[in-house]
Amino acid sequence: MSAFDENPFADPSVQQATANSAQTPGLDDYDPFNKQKTTVAPAGAPPSQPAVMSPTQEVAPPQYTPTAQQTVTSADFQRRQDELERKAAELARREEELKSSPYNARVNNWPPLPGFLPCQPCFYQDINVDIPVEFQEMVKRLYYLWLFHAVLLLGNLFGGTCFLFGGLDNGSMFGLSLVYTFFFIPLSFLCWFRPAYKAFRSDSSFNFMVFFFIFFCQFCFSVVMALGIPGTGGSGIITAIVTFRGGTRNDGATGGDYFIGFIVLLIALGFSAAALADFFMLTKIHGYYRATGASLSKAQAEFTTNVLSNDGVRNAAASAAAAG
């Protein structure tokens, strides 16, 4: 047998090297789809422990502090919900009352009279309900001005009474002041305050015109009463001066005359203030009326429309035409 017929792998050193390479797999033997865990180690590297990664330490988040609005508990939410439901029920109840009540059904409340009297109030008056918000203050001032005029007329009656019992007059001043008190107080309410109330309530040009005319007469009356012209029945400035001089007596003034003169002077100052207030309100309301573009022709057209639309006027005209 020749040397070429020998098996080269039969040599003991070759067999040992082959066995070592089979035990230590290399990169060529790595199978990523093999479920068995294999560790690839470089050739000739001593065996080592498997690598273990240390867990990462997470940083704690900052401490969260809730605000005051976020600390509202469920009880607070429930309380607010109950309050809203209660208000909604109250509004619904009022709406049902308004729907069930007849339209514009109002009970007269002015003048405020006691219940035991046989006469009842004649008008319904509620400035906060009838008058628009932007004019409520003006109408309230006009109402207070009417009250001030009523008080002045009562004071003028008191001054005329003092004149009568003080022997300073023959009773004419007392008589005229009595007429002014019992007639002018209700007439001033009916003739200039109620037209102004209706004018601001319904923006009526006709009622504005009535108010301007009557209220101008009221202003003139206040001026005459403030002057105190003899024979007019007014406790004015001239009347106060005459009282301080003793009136119609020739023996001069006494202590009682000075007291009566002081009362008359206070009433005269009141009428003077009322005249200034009348002029101020007259100019202010007239300025508002002109700013709205209203005019006399508009008031005439409104008056004609209201008269022709009145059933009583039309029936009377029809009756007169049929009789003629």
Side-chain angles (χ1 to χ4, degrees):
M1 175 183 256
S2 63
F4 294 101
D5 296 332
E6 295 181 359
N7 186 4
F9 295 99
D11 186 52
S13 59
V14 176
Q15 294 179 357
Q16 184 178 2
T18 304
N20 291 335
S21 62
Q23 293 177 359
T24 306
L27 292 176
D28 296 335
D29 298 328
Y30 175 70
D31 186 4
F33 301 99
N34 189 5
K35 296 182 179 180
Q36 295 181 358
K37 297 181 180 180
T38 58
T39 304
V40 179
S48 61
Q49 297 293 332
V52 179
M53 297 179 63
S54 60
T56 58
Q57 296 181 358
E58 298 180 358
V59 180
Q63 186 177 2
Y64 176 73
T65 303
T67 61
Q69 297 179 352
Q70 295 174 340
T71 56
V72 179
T73 61
S74 59
D76 295 332
F77 282 113
Q78 185 64 30
R79 178 179 56 82
R80 294 179 183 178
Q81 182 68 22
D82 295 340
E83 183 177 356
L84 291 176
E85 292 178 356
R86 185 172 61 255
K87 291 182 179 180
E90 180 67 19
L91 291 177
R93 183 184 63 81
R94 292 183 180 180
E95 185 177 358
E96 290 298 329
E97 290 180 355
L98 291 177
K99 290 181 180 180
S100 59
S101 61
Y103 178 73
N104 203 22
R106 299 179 178 181
V107 179
N108 294 336
N109 58 359
W110 201 96
L113 300 175
F116 60 86
L117 293 179
C119 53
Q120 299 297 324
C122 304
F123 307 98
Y124 174 82
Q125 178 175 307
D126 194 342
I127 298 176
N128 296 327
V129 174
D130 288 341
I131 308 302
V133 178
E134 59 270 21
F135 304 127
Q136 289 182 3
E137 188 66 26
M138 187 179 297
V139 176
K140 287 180 180 179
R141 291 179 180 177
L142 202 61
Y143 179 66
Y144 296 150
L145 181 58
W146 175 82
L147 292 177
F148 185 56
H149 277 288
V151 172
L152 285 177
L153 289 177
L154 292 174
N156 186 64
L157 178 61
F158 178 73
T161 305
C162 294
F163 247 64
L164 177 63
F165 289 98
L168 299 171
D169 194 12
N170 55 3
S172 61
M173 182 177 176
F174 172 77
L176 289 175
S177 62
L178 187 64
V179 172
Y180 295 158
T181 302
F182 282 97
F183 283 96
F184 283 9
I185 290 179
L187 287 178
S188 61
F189 181 84
L190 294 175
C191 296
W192 62 262
F193 177 74
R194 286 298 296 181
Y197 187 90
K198 295 177 182 179
F200 282 105
R201 182 183 62 186
S202 57
D203 193 17
S204 173
S205 297
F206 174 72
N207 284 300
F208 271 117
M209 286 298 175
V210 173
F211 165 75
F212 290 142
F213 177 73
I214 304 299
F215 197 69
F216 179 75
C217 296
Q218 175 70 62
F219 166 71
C220 296
F221 176 78
S222 299
V223 172
V224 172
M225 297 296 285
L227 291 176
I229 301 174
T232 59
S235 300
I237 298 176
I238 299 177
T239 306
I241 296 174
V242 172
T243 306
F244 287 134
R245 297 175 59 183
T248 58
R249 295 194 304 267
N250 297 324
D251 52 354
T254 62
D257 296 337
Y258 288 109
F259 176 74
I260 297 174
F262 178 74
I263 295 176
V264 173
L265 182 60
L266 291 179
I267 299 172
L269 294 177
F271 276 115
S272 301
L276 292 176
D278 292 343
F279 181 77
F280 173 76
M281 294 299 297
L282 185 63
T283 54
K284 188 172 183 179
I285 295 176
H286 184 264
Y288 158 75
Y289 179 75
R290 298 294 295 177
T292 57
S295 61
L296 181 60
S297 60
K298 183 179 178 181
Q300 292 175 349
E302 181 181 342
F303 174 74
T304 305
T305 303
N306 293 335
V307 169
L308 293 179
S309 61
N310 189 282
D311 295 335
V313 174
R314 287 188 299 180
N315 294 334
S319 300

